[in-house]
Amino acid sequence: MTKTERTYLDWNATAPLLAAAREAVIAALDTVGNPSSVHGEGRALRMLVEAARRDVAALVNTAPAHVIFTSGATEAANLVLTPDYRMGRTPLAVGHLYVSEIEHPAVREGGRFQRENVTTVPVTRAGVVDLEALETLLQNHDKAKGLPMVAIMLANNETGIVQPVKAAAEIVRRHGGLLVVDAVQAVGRMPVDIEALDADFLIVSSHKLGGPKGAGALVTRGEVLMPAPLIRGGGQEKGHRSGTENPAALAGFAAAARAATDDMVERNARITGLRDALEAGMRLAANDVIIHGADGERVANTSFFSLPGLKSETGQIAFDLEGIALSAGSACSSGKVGQSHVLTAMGFDAALGGLRVSLGPGSAQADVDRFLAAFSRVVSRRRVTGNAA
Ligand code: PLP
């Protein structure tokens, strides 16, 4: 292996830009006009934005009118997580937010709710939301303060574990609440249908699908129940999100959304095969490796593992030096590797580090082979020194 050769195994952090998305971005960048202008140039851009809306709607099986474009999943989360709602013209108060303990920080931070109005819902040792605990929390919810809102992701970004969203929806409905589902890591990896999930809102992001960064959407169930806008101004996105649309980012997002739904079953079967080979190889090289969620339902591409005696940070650096880009699962924007809040929520010792390998449509057996060769070297160094560095 040459020094510069790199193996990218961090698709959950971001997917490489797809060629089709790149082409769509460049073509849109070179098209003059503002989608809100009434002249021909503006109308051409409007058509492009509306075509993108259709593609993103198809990704989650809804009507284009239910898609509100945002600058990404984080903004979509901050738009939807608010106590301030309207049902038609009537204000509607949401009194309290219940978020699963394993949510991405974009959701776990609680958006526009006051801290004291946010409660976390625990997960089981298997890494799935504890539905009994959710039931109890909603039973004790004080409706006088407003409706309960529950946020549960569909697939966890660190472990890939699929959450029991449909069962959670039944509980939320029984208690007259609203359900927000972060589907960022699920789209393209499993069928995602807002109706079938019985969610009120879904959150999606472009760059996890091979689209450009800085584009995402909040998907609604209808247009009656809507959150107060986060960004006010010129009234774009029917007043739900002001600011001139970014047609280039949306065209790229749309191309990635189309690719995500094409051949999904075959693509994920191939990726599952790669992950199975990777996990079998890890078990052969280190019989004490812990693969989180391996016995439950996971999306095809993610493997989150711990090697006793290997800290996340040390492991991540060791793999990076081997030419492998993987993640500790919880890198913050500062680049520091923190303790995985997901492993802590699952009841593991805070000292146990986790490392995440995430594959994608561009991954190949050669990537798995290179990872496993590096894995063996990291494991042998760990045995000698008790640590990998
Ligand atoms: N939700 C999940 C599950 C994620 O994995 C991410 C990205 O890491 C986000 C939300 C935030 O997405 P964005 O980068 O589009 O703001």
Side-chain angles (χ1 to χ4, degrees):
M1 194 174 84
T2 63
K3 267 215 144 142
T4 49
E5 196 173 351
R6 300 283 302 169
T7 302
Y8 188 74
L9 299 176
D10 202 9
W11 290 65
N12 286 9
T14 199
L17 189 68
L18 288 171
R22 187 170 191 279
E23 272 171 35
V25 167
I26 290 170
L29 277 176
D30 284 335
T31 312
V32 70
N34 181 324
S36 297
S37 299
V38 292
H39 48 60
E41 285 82 350
R43 290 200 307 277
L45 264 299
R46 170 57 53 204
M47 277 172 64
L48 191 148
V49 169
E50 296 315 315
R53 203 183 304 282
R54 286 195 291 280
D55 288 329
V56 172
L59 184 65
V60 295
N61 198 31
T62 193
H66 297 169
V67 173
I68 303 169
F69 285 127
T70 63
S71 66
T74 303
E75 187 195 319
N78 279 271
L79 171 58
V80 74
L81 302 178
T82 174
D84 194 2
Y85 268 75
R86 277 188 176 269
M87 176 79 99
R89 285 165 178 254
T90 316
L92 184 96
V94 177
H96 203 94
L97 174 66
Y98 301 88
V99 285
S100 93
E101 233 175 328
I102 55 169
E103 293 304 300
H104 185 277
V107 170
R108 214 160 56 109
E109 286 296 310
R112 291 180 275 169
F113 281 90
Q114 298 288 324
R115 277 255 163 236
E116 64 267 26
N117 293 330
V118 181
T119 299
T120 49
V121 185
V123 298
T124 65
R125 181 88 178 172
V128 293
V129 172
D130 184 337
L131 293 176
E132 275 179 35
L134 175 66
E135 177 87 58
T136 308
L137 283 167
L138 294 187
Q139 265 162 9
N140 295 329
H141 172 81
D142 179 3
K143 275 206 171 147
K145 291 190 181 145
L147 300 182
M149 174 177 272
V150 175
I152 297 178
M153 65 201 331
L154 190 47
N156 181 259
N157 49 303
E158 295 193 18
T159 61
I161 295 174
V162 175
Q163 300 300 312
V165 166
K166 182 81 185 75
E170 278 167 34
I171 298 172
V172 175
R173 291 285 163 248
R174 225 176 320 111
H175 293 278
L178 299 175
L179 179 62
V180 175
V181 175
D182 175 347
V184 166
Q185 297 286 351
V187 282
R189 299 182 183 151
M190 59 187 282
V192 180
D193 179 328
I194 188 168
E195 296 290 329
L197 289 170
D198 197 13
D200 293 289
F201 298 98
L202 284 188
I203 295 168
V204 291
S205 176
S206 154
H207 72 104
K208 311 286 178 174
L209 302 172
K213 297 166 189 71
L218 176 66
V219 181
T220 66
R221 192 68 175 276
E223 290 172 89
V224 177
L225 179 72
M226 297 301 286
L230 173 67
I231 300 176
R232 293 171 207 266
Q236 289 87 346
E237 298 297 288
K238 295 186 190 153
H240 301 304
R241 200 281 186 181
S242 287
T244 303
E245 300 87 341
N246 181 347
L250 299 182
F253 184 8
R258 289 195 298 275
T261 40
D262 272 356
D263 302 329
M264 191 168 73
V265 173
E266 295 79 2
R267 185 176 68 241
N268 286 319
R270 191 183 71 78
I271 294 173
T272 303
L274 292 177
R275 187 194 48 198
D276 288 350
L278 185 138
E279 292 187 343
M282 284 202 290
R283 287 195 169 104
L284 262 180
N287 57 17
D288 59 344
V289 67
I290 305 164
I291 300 173
H292 302 288
D295 298 332
E297 191 190 347
R298 284 181 297 169
V299 283
N301 76 318
T302 310
S303 184
F304 191 44
F305 65 92
S306 298
L307 275 169
L310 181 69
K311 284 197 216 143
S312 298
E313 197 162 0
T314 320
Q316 204 181 1
I317 294 166
F319 278 104
D320 192 33
L321 292 172
E322 291 276 356
I324 311 275
L326 48 66
S327 161
S330 61
C332 0
S333 53
S334 61
K336 274 192 309 194
V337 178
Q339 169 60 34
S340 160
H341 75 279
V342 175
L343 282 187
T344 310
M346 287 164 72
F348 286 95
D349 187 331
L352 185 71
L355 289 173
R356 178 186 70 191
V357 170
S358 51
L359 308 166
S363 302
Q365 183 61 42
D367 298 321
V368 173
D369 295 344
R370 279 199 290 271
F371 168 79
L372 287 175
F375 183 85
S376 294
R377 288 190 287 271
V378 171
V379 166
S380 61
R381 288 206 294 275
R382 173 191 66 141
R383 291 242 158 89
V384 176
T385 63
N387 220 324

